Amino acid sequence: MKPFVDIARLQREIDELALISENPPPVVTRVLFSPADLRGRKVVKQLCRDAGLALREDAVGNIFARWEGREKKLSPVATGSHIDAIPNAGKYDGVVGVLGAIEAMRALKRSGFQPRRSLELIVFTSEEPTRFGIGCLGSRLLGGVLPSGRAAALTDRDGNDLRFWRRQAGCKGRLDSVKLPKHFYSAFIELHIEQGPILEKEKAAIGIVEKIAAPSTLRIELTGVGGHAGATLMPGRRDASLAGAEIALAVEKICRNTGSPDTVGTTGIFKIEPGAVNSVPCRAHLEIDLRDTGMGSRDAALKKIEKAAHEICRRRKIKLKMKRLNVDPPAVCDPRLVENIFGICRAQKISCRKMISRAYHDSLFMARICPTTMIFIPCHKGYSHRPDEFSSPKQIKEGVRVLMETLAAASK
């Protein structure tokens, strides 16, 4: 029997998962180990059980769902993504790669296919940085990129550490047990929405990722001197918010002038205290996301931003505390996997193109373990991390179809 993708069922599951959120529809918010995240994980685990997959979880909450192959001693083929969502997000980011992978395996099972290598779905913990300010927590630990001691020391804005949240989620075991040995998997393929406009503009159904951009994150704490908005005269002010505003503008200016079209910088978090209209801000908290496909231009921009922050705070007499949360290299995807997917698309007469991922994903860190690539599908106008994020059932079906064929070929 020829395998087929049950897109009606898959779309229904995507829609139902989207209703599990900390905010009402169409907004999706599922912050790591929040009640909504835990409910979402429970639903996904039940779908895996219903599909006949064997479940396990590691000490940080990464979920593994395995379809045992004929030769269990061979290293498995892995796929997967995440279901946590930043505040005010949409319903497709990450979810397509998780629920789509379950449907790909169901489709292969319906056809009577039996893999030689085991197939394993991974639902990664905390791909989004919302809780701790660092993204891809689960895959960083799997790939050995983040030492377990440093992970244990992570705290959220309320001072709760990872141990606290692991306890809330019922995670068991030692963090140092999460790391996987190199070549634990024979391959990893992640299905994902593009989160950019290229595929839609070029009317290509599939993007095959050759390289994933290098991300970095800065956390900045500024401390000035507060005071009454009426009684504190302008010449004597040490306003933390204005120092932060200057730093945010410096980020924009520096990123526009690196000489690389792929340098992007975002001051995505900017909070001030005490937050009263009649009070001079005494504190500011900034988190800056800086990325590029090249490490040279990314690192040069990072140093310039740090230098600018020091200069601005010195001039404004503001106390500065700055920390690099992560500075990661780019990942080059496996050429053989890329060509295999390209061949599958050609054979199925599915339009495709090779491309770079300017967003980073768990694949960035899975590439430390095994040959890795990503399959992108278009999303409307490139919108993502917002409620109107959208990929059509047809686009999702094509992506799952290509993933299904890729998993089948890799597991033979």
Side-chain angles (χ1 to χ4, degrees):
M1 178 181 174
K2 188 176 180 181
F4 68 93
V5 175
D6 187 344
I7 189 58
R9 177 180 182 178
L10 175 55
Q11 186 63 59
R12 184 171 63 252
E13 290 167 349
I14 292 170
D15 293 341
E16 289 172 354
L17 186 59
L19 297 176
I20 302 174
S21 171
E22 296 161 46
N23 299 104
V27 172
V28 177
T29 302
R30 283 192 296 267
V31 178
L32 171 67
F33 296 155
S34 64
D37 184 44
L38 294 177
R39 285 172 55 212
R41 292 160 67 90
K42 184 177 179 180
V43 166
V44 170
K45 285 189 280 189
Q46 188 58 52
L47 289 174
C48 291
R49 291 189 192 97
D50 293 344
L53 306 179
L55 282 169
R56 72 177 179 89
E57 289 186 52
D58 66 17
V60 79
N62 290 313
I63 299 167
F64 304 84
R66 180 173 293 204
W67 178 7
E68 290 285 4
R70 298 192 310 273
E71 298 186 31
K72 297 178 183 180
K73 291 183 179 180
L74 294 177
S75 54
V77 177
T79 184
S81 197
H82 65 99
I83 66 161
D84 65 313
I86 66 167
N88 203 48
K91 63 183 175 182
Y92 298 95
D93 175 17
V95 169
V96 166
V98 172
L99 300 188
I102 295 172
E103 175 55 25
M105 288 196 239
R106 289 189 304 225
L108 289 171
K109 284 188 171 219
R110 288 192 296 265
S111 73
F113 177 81
Q114 179 62 39
R116 178 169 166 249
R117 294 178 183 272
S118 296
L119 293 175
E120 187 149 86
L121 165 67
I122 309 173
V123 185
F124 294 100
T125 291
S126 191
E127 193 269 354
E128 302 293 4
T130 314
R131 176 70 69 194
F132 295 114
I134 183 170
C136 299
L137 175 61
S139 56
R140 284 179 190 274
L141 285 164
L142 286 172
V145 177
L146 180 66
S148 58
R150 188 180 162 208
L154 292 171
T155 57
D156 63 15
R157 289 176 207 137
D158 297 321
N160 295 315
D161 62 11
L162 179 57
R163 181 182 178 185
F164 170 85
W165 285 108
R166 287 173 63 223
R167 193 163 54 243
Q168 295 294 108
C171 298
K172 297 177 182 178
R174 294 168 53 94
L175 280 178
D176 58 11
S177 69
V178 174
K179 182 181 176 182
L180 295 177
K182 199 167 180 64
H183 307 304
F184 182 85
Y185 294 110
S186 62
F188 177 77
I189 306 103
E190 182 173 6
L191 174 64
H192 209 282
I193 63 172
E194 182 195 351
Q195 299 183 291
I198 294 173
L199 292 176
E200 185 178 66
K201 284 182 178 178
E202 297 189 3
K203 293 181 170 55
I206 296 292
I208 310 165
V209 176
E210 295 182 291
K211 190 176 183 181
I212 304 170
S216 60
T217 310
L218 275 179
R219 176 178 286 168
I220 294 176
E221 305 284 352
L222 304 175
T223 305
V225 177
H228 194 285
T232 308
L233 300 181
M234 300 305 289
R237 291 194 178 192
R238 292 164 61 185
D239 186 327
S241 72
L242 295 182
E246 266 202 75
I247 292 169
L249 289 171
V251 170
E252 180 189 38
K253 183 177 180 181
I254 289 164
C255 290
R256 284 179 177 270
N257 292 282
T258 63
S260 166
D262 295 321
T263 309
V264 288
T266 307
T267 306
I269 295 177
F270 193 152
K271 296 188 174 183
I272 62 172
E273 295 178 20
V277 70
N278 61 345
S279 181
V280 177
C282 58
R283 284 180 294 275
H285 172 93
L286 287 73
E287 291 186 17
I288 297 165
D289 181 300
L290 177 67
R291 312 180 190 202
D292 202 313
T293 53
M295 281 184 66
S297 48
R298 192 276 312 272
D299 289 349
L302 184 59
K303 289 177 182 177
K304 287 180 180 179
I305 290 168
E306 290 171 329
K307 182 180 178 183
H310 281 291
E311 291 174 349
I312 289 164
C313 290
R314 187 163 46 247
R315 173 166 43 82
R316 288 186 169 272
K317 299 179 181 177
I318 299 294
K319 183 181 177 182
L320 168 66
K321 184 179 178 182
M322 185 160 47
K323 182 179 181 181
R324 293 183 176 189
L325 296 182
N326 64 282
V327 182
D328 299 301
V332 177
C333 295
D334 183 69
R336 187 180 298 178
L337 280 176
V338 170
E339 290 306 319
N340 287 351
I341 296 170
F342 189 78
I344 287 168
C345 290
R346 285 291 181 89
Q348 299 287 338
K349 295 182 171 53
I350 298 171
S351 60
C352 67
R353 61 157 288 166
K354 298 173 185 177
M355 63 193 304
I356 290 170
S357 173
R358 289 171 173 81
Y360 74 95
H361 306 275
D362 291 300
S363 289
L364 181 69
F365 304 103
M366 289 303 292
R368 306 289 187 98
I369 298 170
C370 63
T372 295
T373 190
M374 299 186 72
I375 297 168
F376 278 173
I377 61 171
C379 54
H380 178 60
K381 294 185 178 180
Y383 294 166
S384 188
H385 283 189
R386 46 191 282 183
D388 54 354
E389 172 183 275
F390 177 75
S391 291
S392 71
K394 181 181 177 182
Q395 291 166 334
I396 295 168
K397 183 177 181 180
E398 293 281 54
V400 173
R401 183 179 163 201
V402 173
L403 176 65
M404 177 186 70
E405 295 288 352
T406 304
L407 294 176
S411 64
K412 287 180 179 176

